[in-house]
Amino acid sequence: MNKFLAGVDVGATQTKVAILDLKGHILLKDNFSTQMHRKNALIDAVSDLLDSLSRRLRLKKRDFLGLGIGVPGLLDFKRGLVFYFINIPAWKNVPLKKLLEKKTGLPTFVDNDVKVMARGEVTYGAGRGYDNVICLTLGTGVGGAVIIDGKMRRGQDLVAGEIGHVPINEKGPRCNCGGIGCIEAYVGREYFLKEVKKDIRRGVRTSVLAISNNRIADITPEMLTKAALGGDRYALNKWREMGEHLGVALTGVVNLLNPELIIIGGGIAGAGDLVFRPLRETLKKRAMAIQGRTAKVVRAKLGNDAGVIGAAELVKINLLKKIS
Amino acid sequence: MNKFLAGVDVGATQTKVAILDLKGHILLKDNFSTQMHRKNALIDAVSDLLDSLSRRLRLKKRDFLGLGIGVPGLLDFKRGLVFYFINIPAWKNVPLKKLLEKKTGLPTFVDNDVKVMARGEVTYGAGRGYDNVICLTLGTGVGGAVIIDGKMRRGQDLVAGEIGHVPINEKGPRCNCGGIGCIEAYVGREYFLKEVKKDIRRGVRTSVLAISNNRIADITPEMLTKAALGGDRYALNKWREMGEHLGVALTGVVNLLNPELIIIGGGIAGAGDLVFRPLRETLKKRAMAIQGRTAKVVRAKLGNDAGVIGAAELVKINLLKKIS
């Protein structure tokens, strides 16, 4: 009997819902606006979209093994309890597992979005076959996941993996987390763009201004990538700096944990080699000999699908107990 | 039938040999100069001292379960092969396990000295009952061990745990490892003393000079502790700085791994609260809320005996397979 999996990825802007087979292939997927379906409306929208996708594939509820969902926020993945959602303020201590199980009738498993992405990459993407892996997502924040000896490591309170909050300078910018000099305070999207906008307002020469149609407030990382690929010195330099900062943070992680692979995903990773080259150079130059030689830095492979693929994998892990 | 364990700790100055019962109690111990027994003479000296201790306890070889040994250096603990000893130059790729087994007739197990110390502390010392522990030794170098989910984590090439080489500044002093701004380059014994001696030669006002009988070259960390306990502002400040540097490095480790306990040992830890207080304050102030609240910082408990106790434990782990 063929069984199927439901994978859900709650993003800042879109919530993706997919139906997958047991090998992690996406059969059908669709999405809706996260911001327009907050709180209980999110539960309903997930369930409705899953029903509609199921109908199109002529699947019944009994054809599903279960539902996995990744959410941005702090949570207890064992109980499926979300302490808070990063993008849905005032929805706190949500028993997401219970709510979704009641609504969909499917066994449901919940995890943090970065952990879910990492699981997707390790099972089907860039990390296939690797046992010691560090995952990073570069976006508004810098998320992380630590896989050691084949297992996702959670730490004492299930909050391990905060690579974004490894400091790279004792006296650095203050970070939203309350810390000082965290890598996120250098390379997080908003921190990064704030510096760029400040530079441009001060009159730095760069084609980014023209690319943004002189609307400084609308500048995006993609515009910096475009400028850099066109040879813009300022933009090239900003990406190089980002790579170097990341290289320093990863030097500490690599010396400490001796991983074989570092997978980097998220929107900012779209700058590609503009960031990856200086990052690899910095790591090679600064990390200890053996650790630095071993640690390969690669880009995430599953792209936007990593979330739903990893979420679906949660179901297999929990119900089939093949891996943990 | 009662069985006993031999524990050996090869230190920079002394090599300690002890006979222990299966509960980790030391029945008898003695030591010899490491520097006067290099290479094969070290093997002979370990064996001779063990024989002599055994005679005093009226034990025969068959009364021993095996021998465990901790050495400062890079090694493959699985094969008992020491790539190099930190303090015995030109003794490379030593099959220590084989050599000792041949000489003593006892099943022998080899590990890095810091890992061995950490194992001792986790089994019988400050880390008893904890599953997520970071161990640090502060001495000439800064050593480390990472215990996650109850197991010592080795990394892909068995070289994980190098907490001493987590950078705390992008632009910092060059470290012996080749890196920049590593915590060891701030708090390692020689780096630390070099700064102190430089300050004193420049004429900084401190009682350390008098305590050293005006012999700047002979200044030790213990003299700084003495001065600080006597209220010397300079010495107090140096220890506070050390605590703060360590606090920054541990902020990154704690945010990343969410451990419940950080055990600090080694000679420099003898400064006690002079270092521990600013360290704890820095960690509390800079680490993320949950991680910072959970991570307790304590001093190693077994002192000089941690090495032989942890080494003996290696035998149990490998032969009795209770824990790994």
Side-chain angles (χ1 to χ4, degrees), chain A residues 184-202:
Chain A
E184 180 170 302
Y186 292 86
V187 308
R189 191 188 145 101
E190 303 316 316
Y191 296 96
F192 176 70
L193 286 178
K194 196 175 143 193
E195 288 302 308
V196 170
K197 291 171 186 173
K198 208 196 288 175
D199 289 342
I200 294 180
R201 286 203 182 92
R202 277 183 190 147

Side-chain angles (χ1 to χ4, degrees), chain B residues 22 26 209 221 271 289 314:
Chain B
L22 291 183
I26 295 175
L209 186 59
L314 275 182

Side-chain angles (χ1 to χ4, degrees), chain A residues 157 161 170 245 255-256 258 294, chain B residues 157 161 165 170 245 256 258 294:
Chain A
D157 311 285
E170 289 184 289
H245 291 318
N255 287 346
L256 184 67
N258 183 207
T294 293
Chain B
D157 311 284
H165 303 283
E170 289 184 289
H245 290 319
L256 185 66
N258 183 209
T294 293

Side-chain angles (χ1 to χ4, degrees), chain A residues 132 148-149 153 155-163 165 167-170 245 255-256 258 260 286 291 294, chain B residues 132 148-149 153 155-163 165 168-170 245 255-256 258 260 286 291 294:
Chain A
N132 290 294
I148 298 177
D149 297 333
R153 300 301 164 176
Q156 192 59 25
D157 311 285
L158 311 177
V159 293
E162 292 291 355
I163 298 170
H165 303 283
I168 58 170
N169 281 304
E170 289 184 289
H245 291 318
N255 287 346
L256 184 67
N258 183 207
E260 46 190 335
R286 297 193 177 215
Q291 283 93 328
T294 293
Chain B
N132 290 294
I148 297 177
D149 297 333
R153 300 300 164 177
Q156 191 59 24
D157 311 284
L158 311 178
V159 294
E162 292 291 355
I163 298 170
H165 303 283
I168 58 169
N169 281 305
E170 289 184 289
H245 290 319
N255 286 346
L256 185 66
N258 183 209
E260 45 189 337
R286 295 192 178 216
Q291 283 93 328
T294 293

